[in-house]
């Protein structure tokens, strides 16, 4: 496992200077990027409600029955992995619903990893400044109702069912007029936008489902577009290079919007900046206009100093683990500053006490979440190599496990080998399994790859997730009650959600 970082950390100004030098060097190397940088306008300086836990099934049998009926109807539609890249159907639904998505301002979030955590942070910050929020994220960990949140909490099962019943006649009208019926994700997107208008909300925080240009969420005209780190994922649909994927995700950038951009591979940044120039959008870049100045491991999370668009924010506690979450926090802060006009219409920073209170309230279920002690069981929804690398680094930093056992259940369409390779240095042994999804990789097929990565002696196969959890906990306990053994369950959001239920959460 990786060693804990020096608590003093690097000098913040040195960090920013080094990043600026890197950008300057890449700019000299690529003349086209130099033109983009010269043409782009950049932002320079001239807590929210408690996050609800993942909801359980409704206690009222009638409500539970109604929710199951809605879930069954939604399940008859195209799933989220079957796509016909177009916004025609969702645009038609918005039209017959009366364009509900235009009744409130929006912050639109795309990227490869970190979207949901960043959305939750943005939501907490906006709520702390007394704005009523709507948040739309995907996929869900346990309950479909998680995807639509109002005021920092998932909508109730009753409200979810009511919203579906309200939009269903319009959905059927669009279905009848289109070549393909609205998909599962398109119907949920329509429900979210309608629920936000009905609330009504002051601002919507919207995470794309996949990509950006043709994503169903992309019928909003968001004044702030957030691009979290781009990496290789969904390459069969988005493209096989960072630049190709960035081209799809750049579709969320709207004319004269503000683009808040996390640190990106240079070829991805080039595409995003070019798009911003074309649309006369303002750009704020992590490492230049904003970023993480310092972070230290703290009990239950980390203590950060962030540089925002309006200045420095010191002693900000975030109850989430890992450097990646600190970077997500910097992006979220800059997005909210941009929403309030900091760095453009106003120079002063946001109220520091409000910012501290908001970040201290953030939770992100299934993201290095502790769900059991003795031995400690941690859940993380990493499902691609970039997410796995971030999780592996964070667990080595935040936890002092003497022996860590992995439970991995992955989807068959992912780069499983690189995901396993990312965890190999931190797992003493790995128990491979599979979740209940039709997309799950067969446990024996996953084991064959795991043996090549870990060696046969470090791999155990348990096709049933309950058996895999029991086996991993037994292996961790072999170290003894006080020896520091732990379990990390990972590989898929679905695996994490099912493990969460089995371990008594929700």
């Amino acid at each position: 496992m990786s060693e804990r970082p020096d608590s003093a950390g690097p000098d913040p100004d040195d960090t920013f200077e080094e990043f600026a030098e890197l950008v300057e060097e890449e700019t000299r190397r690529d003349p086209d990027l130099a033109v983009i940088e010269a043409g782009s306008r950049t932002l320079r300086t001239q807590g929210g409600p408690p996050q609800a836990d993942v909801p359980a099934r409704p206690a009222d049998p009638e409500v539970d029955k109604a929710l199951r009926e809605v879930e069954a109807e939604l399940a008859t539609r195209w799933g989220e992995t079957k796509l016909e890249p177009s916004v025609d159907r969702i645009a038609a639904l918005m039209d017959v619903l009366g364009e509900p998505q235009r009744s409130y301002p929006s912050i639109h979030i795309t990227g490869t990893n970190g979207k949901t955590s960043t959305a939750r942070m943005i939501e907490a910050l906006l709520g702390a400044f007394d704005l009523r929020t709507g948040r739309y994220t995907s996929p869900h960990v346990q309950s479909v109702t998680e995807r639509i949140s109002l005021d920092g909490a998932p909508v109730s099962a009753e409200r979810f069912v009511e919203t579906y019943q309200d939009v269903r006649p319009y959905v059927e009208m669009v279905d009848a007029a289109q070549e393909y019926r609205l998909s599962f994700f398109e119907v949920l997107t329509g429900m979210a936008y309608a629920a936000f208008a009905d609330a009504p909300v002051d601002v919507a925080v919207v995470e794309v489902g996949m990509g950006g240009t043709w994503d169903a969420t992309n019928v909003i005209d968001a004044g702030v577009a957030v691009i979290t780190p781009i990496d290789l994922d969904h390459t069969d649909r988005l493209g096989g290079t960072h630049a190709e994927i960035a081209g799809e995700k750049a579709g969320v950038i709207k004319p004269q919007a503000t683009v808040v951009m996390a640190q990106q591979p240079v070829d991805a940044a080039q595409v995003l900046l070019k798009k911003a120039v074309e649309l006369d959008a303002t750009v704020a870049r992590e490492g230049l206009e904003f970023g993480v100045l310092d972070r230290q491991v703290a009990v239950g999370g980390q203590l950060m100093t962030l540089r925002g668009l309006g200045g420095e924010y010191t002693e900000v506690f975030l109850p989430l683990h890992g450097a990646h979450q600190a970077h997500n926090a910097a992006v979220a802060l800059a997005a909210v500053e941009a929403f309030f006009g900091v760095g453009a219409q106003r120079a002063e920073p946001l109220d520091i006490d409000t910012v501290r209170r908001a970040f201290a309230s953030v939770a992100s279920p299934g993201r290095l979440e502790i769900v059991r002690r003795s031995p400690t069981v941690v859940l993380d929804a990493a499902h691609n190599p970039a997410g796995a690398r971030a999780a592996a680094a964070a667990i080595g930093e935040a936890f002092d496990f003497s022996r860590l056992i992995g439970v991995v259940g992955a989807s068959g369409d992912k780069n499983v080998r690189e995901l396993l390779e990312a965890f190999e240095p931190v797992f003493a042994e790995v128990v491979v399994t599979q979740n209940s999804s039709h997309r799950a990789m067969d446990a024996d097929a996953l084991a064959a790859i795991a043996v090549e990565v870990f060696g046969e002696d470090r791999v155990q196969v348990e096709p049933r997730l309950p058996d895999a959890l029991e086996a991993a906990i037994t292996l961790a306990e072999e170290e003894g009650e006080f020896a520091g053994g732990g379990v990390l369950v990972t590989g898929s959001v679905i695996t994490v959600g099912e493990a969460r239920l089995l371990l008594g959460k929700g």
Side-chain angles (χ1 to χ4, degrees):
M1 288 189 285
S2 59
E3 297 179 354
R4 294 179 181 273
D6 184 350
S7 60
D11 181 78
D13 290 331
D14 288 345
T15 301
F16 270 79
E17 287 173 7
E18 289 170 5
F19 188 80
E21 288 171 2
L22 173 62
V23 172
E24 183 180 355
E25 180 179 330
E26 292 292 348
T27 301
R28 287 196 300 268
R29 183 181 63 81
D30 192 329
D32 191 34
L33 185 57
V35 173
I36 295 166
E37 285 285 348
S40 64
R41 293 184 292 124
T42 60
L43 275 178
R44 302 182 189 275
T45 303
Q46 301 175 357
Q51 303 297 296
D53 200 358
V54 175
R57 296 298 309 185
D60 185 324
E62 290 302 313
V63 175
D64 187 53
K65 179 183 176 183
L67 179 59
R68 290 185 187 278
E69 288 174 354
V70 171
E71 291 170 330
E73 287 189 28
L74 289 170
T76 65
R77 297 181 174 273
W78 277 2
E80 289 169 287
T81 59
K82 186 172 183 180
L83 304 168
E84 194 276 317
S86 166
V87 295
D88 292 345
R89 292 176 301 281
I90 188 68
L93 180 60
M94 292 297 99
D95 182 51
V96 296
L97 286 173
E99 304 291 347
Q101 81 283 12
R102 305 200 189 284
S103 63
Y104 40 79
S106 301
I107 297 175
H108 207 176
I109 306 168
T110 190
T112 301
N113 289 308
K115 296 187 294 296
T116 298
S117 293
T118 302
R120 286 177 169 271
M121 294 178 198
I122 291 173
E123 173 190 54
L125 284 162
L126 292 168
F129 285 99
D130 298 323
L131 293 182
R132 188 167 201 201
T133 58
R135 172 172 53 83
Y136 181 52
T137 53
S138 61
H140 56 272
V141 177
Q142 286 175 205
S143 171
V144 69
T145 61
E146 297 166 38
R147 296 180 179 229
I148 304 173
S149 290
L150 293 171
D151 294 325
V155 296
S156 66
E158 294 92 334
R159 187 159 193 166
F160 187 89
V161 172
E162 289 170 4
T163 302
Y164 178 75
Q165 299 296 352
D166 287 344
V167 305
R168 182 164 62 174
Y170 302 96
V171 168
E172 292 172 349
M173 188 185 309
V174 173
D175 284 344
Q178 295 289 322
E179 181 180 1
Y180 303 106
R181 296 171 70 213
L182 287 155
S183 69
F184 168 85
F185 186 73
E186 287 168 333
V187 174
L188 281 176
T189 301
M191 289 172 58
Y193 289 164
F196 296 161
D198 184 61
V201 301
D202 297 314
V203 56
V205 183
V206 178
E207 173 189 341
V208 304
M210 186 186 300
T213 300
W214 41 258
D215 187 75
T217 62
N218 202 28
V219 288
I220 53 175
D221 292 319
V224 179
V226 176
I227 320 287
T228 66
I230 289 173
D231 213 302
L232 301 181
D233 198 12
H234 301 296
T235 54
D236 56 329
R237 298 177 178 89
L238 303 179
T241 67
H242 293 121
E244 290 173 340
I245 294 172
E248 291 293 340
K249 294 183 183 294
V252 304
I253 301 173
K254 299 301 189 294
Q256 298 183 324
T258 299
V259 183
V260 177
M261 197 168 77
Q263 291 185 7
Q264 304 289 351
V266 171
D267 53 347
Q270 177 176 343
V271 171
L272 297 172
L273 290 168
K274 182 180 291 185
K275 184 71 169 182
V277 171
E278 292 171 357
L279 297 176
D280 195 28
T282 302
V283 180
R285 299 156 296 180
E286 184 183 6
L288 293 176
E289 284 76 43
F290 70 93
V292 179
L293 289 178
D294 185 45
R295 54 178 293 272
Q296 300 178 33
V297 175
V299 176
Q302 54 192 306
L303 193 64
M304 310 174 298
T305 297
L306 304 177
R307 177 179 290 176
L309 305 177
E312 291 187 11
Y313 298 80
T314 62
E315 297 181 354
V316 177
F317 175 72
L318 179 68
L320 299 175
H321 301 290
H324 61 296
Q325 294 290 17
H327 290 287
N328 289 339
V331 170
L333 176 62
V336 173
E337 286 183 308
F339 181 80
F340 284 124
V342 176
Q345 290 89 8
R346 51 181 281 193
E348 66 274 13
L350 301 176
D351 179 72
I352 182 63
D353 290 332
T354 305
V355 169
R356 287 170 178 156
R357 186 171 70 252
F359 275 119
S361 76
V362 172
S364 195
R367 277 73 180 177
L368 288 178
E369 178 188 18
I370 300 172
V371 292
R372 174 188 161 142
R373 299 284 189 180
S374 299
T376 299
V377 178
V378 182
L379 307 179
D380 193 85
H383 55 275
N384 56 42
R389 288 190 292 269
I395 203 161
E397 172 187 276
F399 300 91
D400 196 20
F401 293 127
S402 59
R403 174 181 169 85
L404 181 63
I405 309 300
V407 174
V408 179
S411 296
D413 58 349
K414 298 297 181 180
N415 186 340
V416 173
R417 178 178 297 277
E418 287 191 22
L419 182 143
L420 292 172
E421 287 173 346
F423 284 120
E424 191 277 332
V426 298
F427 286 166
E429 296 183 55
V430 61
V431 182
V432 297
T433 187
Q434 63 190 75
N435 58 55
S436 63
S437 169
H438 68 279
R439 295 173 56 203
M441 175 175 273
D442 176 76
D444 289 332
L446 180 57
I449 300 173
V451 166
E452 294 177 2
V453 174
F454 288 84
E456 188 173 355
D457 293 344
R458 295 168 63 193
V459 178
Q460 184 169 332
V461 186
E462 295 291 350
R464 296 180 64 253
L465 183 56
D467 297 336
L469 291 171
E470 183 178 354
I473 289 169
T474 300
L475 287 169
E477 287 175 337
E478 288 179 358
E479 287 285 281
E481 183 178 357
F482 304 106
V487 175
L488 175 64
V489 183
T490 189
S492 163
V493 176
I494 297 169
T495 301
V496 162
E498 292 180 358
R500 207 172 184 278
L501 277 172
L502 289 167
L503 293 166
K505 298 287 284 186

